[in-house]
């Protein structure tokens, strides 16, 4: 079997790249480890930058997003028992973000791919990229007990943090940078109206809390927890009590409680691998970098990589020029590192660390107070939150 680009992984990165390439007639095959139902059941974050929206639209997957997404023109920071709104639109010349779950983004892209009759091979095991340091790369995998091979021009490693593509690169050719944070986020989904019409990021001496949403009837909430916390110890009642204790009274009073239908603990990590290109293999999205969710950048960074790689492949196929592919790693990483910096900074400012004593708590509050009262500092936050330019 032969195709132009083999895409390993059918998350948002792989699906979006596949749809964009389809718009210019470049053939792709996606190899995915899990089955379709599993893929569509994962719960992830849900804040999309305008640049991400534009790219999804260009890929033909923007219709439901435009109809059902919730445009947000501001966020609130909560500390010292009060809410402080950051007016994203006013501070960025009218930009906003869209709240729309990543699960729905994935579903829209899968629907689009299926409607176009493009090939995705689910439950492909033992996927292995080969020969990417030469002119004739290929990928092998096992499906239904049979080993198969696909020859191609390029391999896109869109297979997430635990994928095979990054692991296939010779150790001496790659460098990684990492920061693990000493806490997790306990997140729940519940069929209740959100506490506020915008997101609330709360710094509290008991730990961070976040009020988010999926729709006018579905809320997504998080509280900072210990990494070794047992999810079984977090009844819904305990969760709601803890959330309300960490919010200012005016927000706590508006929290509507109800049974959770999803509850999980996620660790927080910053990670970057460099470079993103190894001959004819490209790393994209979570396969190359992870950010803590505090800045809502994970999916947006995946889309950012996809945009640069798409430009490079378009230049290669249309203009017969390798320049865009050669520039991919440098261009993508420049934007990645700025989002890594922003996510790290939001994380440091909003969470309680093991060494956050009363002094450190006051320093965090002073930084937040400065941030919400200085036009320059608010504008810097807003500019990063809505997404830096490409
Ligand atoms: N072979 C085939 N597929 C694989 C393999 C493998 N060896 N390993 C992983 N995969 C698949 C996973 O099952 C998953 O469907 O690759 C896909 C990777 O998807 P994501 O982890 O969602 O990564 P990405 O598409 O880059 O999306 C980034 O997802 O994790 C969030 O915060 C992140 O929002 C960001 C977005
Ligand atoms: C979410 O809705 O899941 C969400 C929103 C904002 C974040 C992180 C997660 O910063």
């Amino acid at each position: 079997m032969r195709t132009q680009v083999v895409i390993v992984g059918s998350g948002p990165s792989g699906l979006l790249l596949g749809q964009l390439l389809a718009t210019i007639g470049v053939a792709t095959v996606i190899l995915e480890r899990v089955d379709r139902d599993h893929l569509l059941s994962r719960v992830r974050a849900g804040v999309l930058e305008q640049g991400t929206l534009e790219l999804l639209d260009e890929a033909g997957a923007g219709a439901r997003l435009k109809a059902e997404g919730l445009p947000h023109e501001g966020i609130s920071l909560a500390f010292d028992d009060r809410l402080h709104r950051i007016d994203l639109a006013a501070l960025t010349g009218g930009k906003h973000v869209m709240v729309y779950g990543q699960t729905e983004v994935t579903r829209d892209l899968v629907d689009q791919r299926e409607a176009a009759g493009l090939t995705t091979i689910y439950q492909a095991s033992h996927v292995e990229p080969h020969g990417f340091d030469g002119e004739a790369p290929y990928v092998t995998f096992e499906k239904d007990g049979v080993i198969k091979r696909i020859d191609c021009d390029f391999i896109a490693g869109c297979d997430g943090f635990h994928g095979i593509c990054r692991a296939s690169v010779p150790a001496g050719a790659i460098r990684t940078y990492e920061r693990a944070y000493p806490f997790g986020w306990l997140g729940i989904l519940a069929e209740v109206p959100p506490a506020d019409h915008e997101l609330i990021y709360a710094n509290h001496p008991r730990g961070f809390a976040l009020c988010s949403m999926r729709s006018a009837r579905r809320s997504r909430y998080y509280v900072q927890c210990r990494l070794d916390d047992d999810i079984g110890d977090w009844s819904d009642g305990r969760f709601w009590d803890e959330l309300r204790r960490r919010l200012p009274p005016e927000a706590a009073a508006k929290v509507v409680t109800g049974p959770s239908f999803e509850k999980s603990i996620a660790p927080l990590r910053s990670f970057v691998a460099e470079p993103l290109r190894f001959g004819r293999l490209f790393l994209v999205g979570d396969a190359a970098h992870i950010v803590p969710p505090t800045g809502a950048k994970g999916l947006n960074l995946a889309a950012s990589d996809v945009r640069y790689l798409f430009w490079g492949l378009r230049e290669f196929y249309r203009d017969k020029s390798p320049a865009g592919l050669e520039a991919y790693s440098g261009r993508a990483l420049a934007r990645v590192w700025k989002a890594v910096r922003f996510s790290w900074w939001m994380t440091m400012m909003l969470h309680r660390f093991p060494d956050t004593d009363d002094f450190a708590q006051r320093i965090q509050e002073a930084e937040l107070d400065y941030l919400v009262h200085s036009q320059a500092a608010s504008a810097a936050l807003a500019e990063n939150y809505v997404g830096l330019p490409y």
Side-chain angles (χ1 to χ4, degrees):
M1 188 172 178
R2 190 181 156 82
T3 191
Q4 287 172 296
V5 181
V6 171
I7 298 174
V8 184
S10 184
S13 302
L15 287 163
L16 181 55
L17 180 65
Q19 286 321 109
L20 288 166
L21 289 174
T23 66
I24 57 164
V26 172
T28 57
V29 171
I30 297 186
L31 297 176
E32 169 57 53
R33 187 168 45 87
V34 303
D35 66 28
R36 188 179 177 282
D37 288 349
H38 183 162
L39 182 77
L40 294 175
S41 65
R42 292 187 190 134
V43 178
R44 299 265 173 86
V47 177
L48 307 182
E49 296 173 358
Q50 219 151 301
T52 305
L53 300 179
E54 285 159 16
L55 205 62
L56 284 162
D57 213 25
E58 190 177 338
R64 194 159 70 98
L65 177 55
K66 278 190 217 150
E68 295 177 20
L70 306 172
H72 282 207
E73 296 197 339
I75 57 168
S76 285
L77 296 176
F79 57 96
D80 201 15
D81 273 347
R82 277 183 307 146
L83 286 176
H84 306 262
R85 183 168 187 270
I86 302 283
D87 191 331
L88 299 172
L91 290 161
T92 59
K95 295 200 176 127
H96 63 272
V97 292
M98 190 77 102
V99 172
Y100 187 74
Q102 183 175 317
T103 314
E104 304 310 313
V105 172
T106 308
R107 182 179 297 281
D108 293 344
L109 286 164
V110 165
D111 286 349
Q112 192 76 13
R113 188 166 178 88
E114 288 174 358
L118 303 173
T119 309
T120 300
I121 300 174
Y122 292 104
Q123 293 178 292
S125 62
H126 302 99
V127 173
E128 266 185 62
H130 304 272
F132 49 82
D133 51 349
E135 295 289 304
Y138 62 98
V139 180
T140 54
F141 63 100
E142 190 179 323
K143 172 77 184 166
D144 300 329
V146 182
I147 307 275
K148 304 197 170 170
R149 164 178 173 148
I150 309 181
D151 291 276
C152 55
D153 300 331
F154 299 103
I155 303 168
C158 302
D159 49 348
F161 184 66
H162 299 288
I164 185 65
C165 289
R166 192 180 72 249
S168 303
V169 170
I174 192 164
R175 174 150 189 212
T176 60
Y177 301 81
E178 189 159 13
R179 182 74 88 240
Y181 301 90
F183 41 74
W185 277 19
L186 170 61
I188 68 156
L189 272 172
E191 212 62 35
V192 292
D196 193 20
H197 69 291
E198 290 174 349
L199 273 59
I200 302 173
Y201 290 82
N203 171 302
H204 189 274
R206 293 182 67 85
F208 170 78
L210 170 60
C211 306
S212 181
M213 67 195 73
R214 289 292 174 270
S215 70
R217 290 174 312 283
R218 184 173 286 189
S219 299
R220 177 80 167 146
Y221 288 108
Y222 299 93
V223 294
Q224 174 185 348
C225 66
R226 291 170 57 98
L227 271 174
D228 58 3
D229 266 1
D230 184 346
I231 194 94
D233 293 337
W234 280 94
S235 64
D236 286 355
R238 181 179 169 204
F239 181 90
W240 291 119
D241 285 348
E242 189 59 39
L243 175 71
R244 283 184 294 206
R245 289 176 83 167
R246 296 183 188 187
L247 296 175
E250 56 176 309
K254 289 198 277 169
V255 171
V256 182
T257 64
S260 70
F261 63 90
E262 203 272 342
K263 195 187 280 167
S264 55
I265 295 178
L268 275 73
R269 174 203 312 267
S270 301
F271 174 91
V272 182
E274 291 185 351
L276 303 183
R277 176 190 175 199
F278 306 88
R280 286 175 173 254
L281 169 69
F282 300 89
L283 299 182
V284 183
D286 274 21
H289 40 74
I290 296 286
V291 286
T294 327
K297 289 289 170 238
L299 174 59
N300 293 300
L301 272 192
S304 167
D305 289 356
V306 166
R307 178 189 292 244
Y308 291 120
L309 183 56
F310 172 58
W311 285 351
L313 289 167
R314 187 172 57 187
E315 221 174 304
F316 178 86
Y317 285 111
R318 264 202 200 156
D319 312 332
K320 312 269 179 282
S321 162
L325 291 177
E326 279 159 12
Y328 167 67
S329 183
R331 278 181 178 168
L333 281 170
R335 203 161 180 285
V336 163
W337 271 110
K338 291 188 195 93
V340 169
R341 198 279 314 165
F342 176 67
S343 308
W344 164 85
W345 170 73
M346 287 279 280
T347 305
M348 299 302 287
M349 180 173 64
L350 288 168
H351 290 79
R352 181 124 191 137
F353 284 74
D355 62 353
T356 308
D357 56 9
D358 292 348
F359 175 83
Q361 176 69 31
R362 280 285 187 267
I363 291 288
Q364 283 185 337
E365 288 169 7
E367 180 164 17
L368 285 159
D369 197 52
Y370 167 65
L371 191 57
V372 299
H373 290 109
S374 153
Q375 162 98 4
S378 298
L381 168 79
E383 178 184 41
N384 280 277
Y385 196 85
V386 301
L388 293 175
Y390 280 89

